Amino acid sequence: MILRRFTQHIKEQNWFAVGLDMMVVILGIFFGLQVSNWQGSLNEQRTAEEYLHRLDDDLQADLNNIIQREIFWQQVSDYGVTALKYLEGDDEKFDEHWPFLLAIFQASQISPFEVTDITYREIQQAGHLSLLKSQKLRQNLAEYYSFNDGIAALTLLKVNPPYRNYVRGKFPISVTDYIWTNCFQNSDFAKQKLIECTAPIPDESIYKILVNIKSDQKVVELLRSWHVTMQAALDLLPEEKEMVTSLLKMLSDELNE
């Protein structure tokens, strides 16, 4: 309709009307672009808010997992101390040997810490990091996720020690099955718990297993190495927790802007 009217005005050489028609067209294009830009900005804002909420969920999950690891890894470390007390001690007769055999097994438990990075990887792959307004937030997120892909995390937070498989090969399968059934709880992978339990076999039989384990010097050497690694991992967790807590604060600040 506008084009037909525009053509008619040219034929009539009504240049004032032609000018008005052109003005209408230009203003229509201008306002159309403004609306399009506004809608695009609104969509980006909504996408950014969704990313921020999802990152918050991921980091809250990481924080909960770190807290669970602190509890679990401390249990494993304590069992390691008890196990080494027996393995490195003399052959004096203890009143009960089951606590030491259980400690030797439980000291081999692991619960690797893996960050929840699905959202961050998605943001990276989509090229949407710029949607996060805070440069400091973007920088700290990059440092956090790169740190957890680094050598420190691989050698401390995600390690599967040689001690684990080696010492478990020295346990009768009946004792191993008993420990898993009665001395271990696992509501999910992040919430493992080691619990005290009574002996499944007579103390004389337990002592024979201990004698066999203690006669192998490699068990002691591997446990010492694993215990040192576990202590280093426990020392690293507060730093990990601090990083997550700081990021959660920054996410909250950006969401509330």
Side-chain angles (χ1 to χ4, degrees):
M1 181 176 179
I2 293 177
L3 180 59
R4 186 166 61 247
R5 187 174 61 189
F6 181 72
T7 303
Q8 182 63 33
H9 289 158
I10 291 177
K11 288 180 181 180
E12 294 174 353
Q13 296 186 353
N14 186 347
W15 306 118
F16 179 76
V18 169
L20 288 177
D21 291 339
M22 292 181 66
M23 184 65 67
V24 169
V25 172
I26 291 171
L27 288 174
I29 293 173
F30 173 78
F31 285 116
L33 289 173
Q34 290 297 104
V35 170
S36 178
N37 290 338
W38 174 80
Q39 185 63 47
S41 176
L42 184 61
N43 289 338
E44 287 186 350
Q45 182 178 349
R46 288 172 177 169
T47 300
E49 289 180 358
E50 180 185 349
Y51 281 146
L52 290 170
H53 283 294
R54 288 174 56 190
L55 284 168
D56 184 83
D57 289 341
D58 289 352
L59 289 167
Q60 289 288 357
D62 283 353
L63 183 59
N64 290 334
N65 287 338
I66 290 170
I67 293 171
Q68 292 296 328
R69 292 309 185 284
E70 283 184 312
I71 297 170
F72 183 80
W73 290 357
Q74 189 60 60
Q75 279 191 294
V76 174
S77 178
D78 291 343
Y79 274 117
V81 171
T82 300
L84 286 171
K85 176 183 176 182
Y86 180 86
L87 294 173
E88 294 179 333
D90 56 31
D91 290 326
E92 63 178 302
K93 177 68 175 179
F94 291 92
D95 293 334
E96 186 182 5
H97 292 90
W98 170 245
F100 299 103
L101 185 62
L102 179 63
I104 289 170
F105 186 92
Q106 300 290 45
S108 72
Q109 300 284 10
I110 61 172
S111 184
F113 174 70
E114 296 281 353
V115 299
T116 310
D117 62 355
I118 296 175
T119 301
Y120 184 75
R121 300 306 176 197
E122 180 182 324
I123 296 172
Q124 273 190 320
Q125 292 169 8
H128 285 167
L129 281 172
S130 60
L131 296 182
L132 307 181
K133 297 177 183 179
S134 170
Q135 181 180 357
K136 185 177 181 181
L137 173 61
R138 296 196 300 269
Q139 180 180 344
N140 286 13
L141 283 169
E143 290 175 356
Y144 172 70
Y145 287 107
S146 62
F147 172 80
N148 282 283
D149 286 335
I151 189 66
L154 291 174
T155 56
L156 295 179
L157 305 182
K158 307 175 185 180
V159 64
N160 184 358
Y163 172 76
R164 176 181 174 85
N165 290 332
Y166 188 79
V167 77
R168 290 184 178 190
K170 295 182 174 296
F171 277 72
I173 191 64
S174 59
V175 175
T176 300
D177 289 343
Y178 176 85
I179 291 174
W180 284 124
T181 303
N182 298 278
C183 316
F184 180 83
Q185 290 180 349
N186 186 17
S187 56
D188 62 52
F189 185 71
K191 295 181 180 179
Q192 302 181 75
K193 184 178 181 181
L194 307 179
I195 57 179
E196 296 297 327
C197 52
T198 58
I201 54 178
D203 191 69
E204 295 79 6
S205 301
I206 294 171
Y207 180 68
K208 289 179 181 179
I209 300 172
L210 281 172
V211 169
N212 177 58
I213 294 175
K214 190 172 183 177
S215 65
D216 188 344
Q217 182 62 24
K218 186 175 180 180
V219 172
V220 179
E221 294 171 356
L222 291 176
L223 179 54
R224 288 171 183 160
S225 176
W226 170 228
H227 184 67
V228 170
T229 300
M230 180 59 60
Q231 287 300 305
L234 282 167
D235 290 341
L236 185 60
L237 282 183
E239 178 181 344
E240 193 85 0
K241 187 191 295 185
E242 184 178 346
M243 292 172 67
V244 174
T245 303
S246 174
L247 283 169
L248 286 169
K249 175 65 167 57
M250 296 177 69
L251 286 170
S252 177
D253 291 343
E254 181 137 339
L255 279 166
N256 292 328
E257 283 185 356

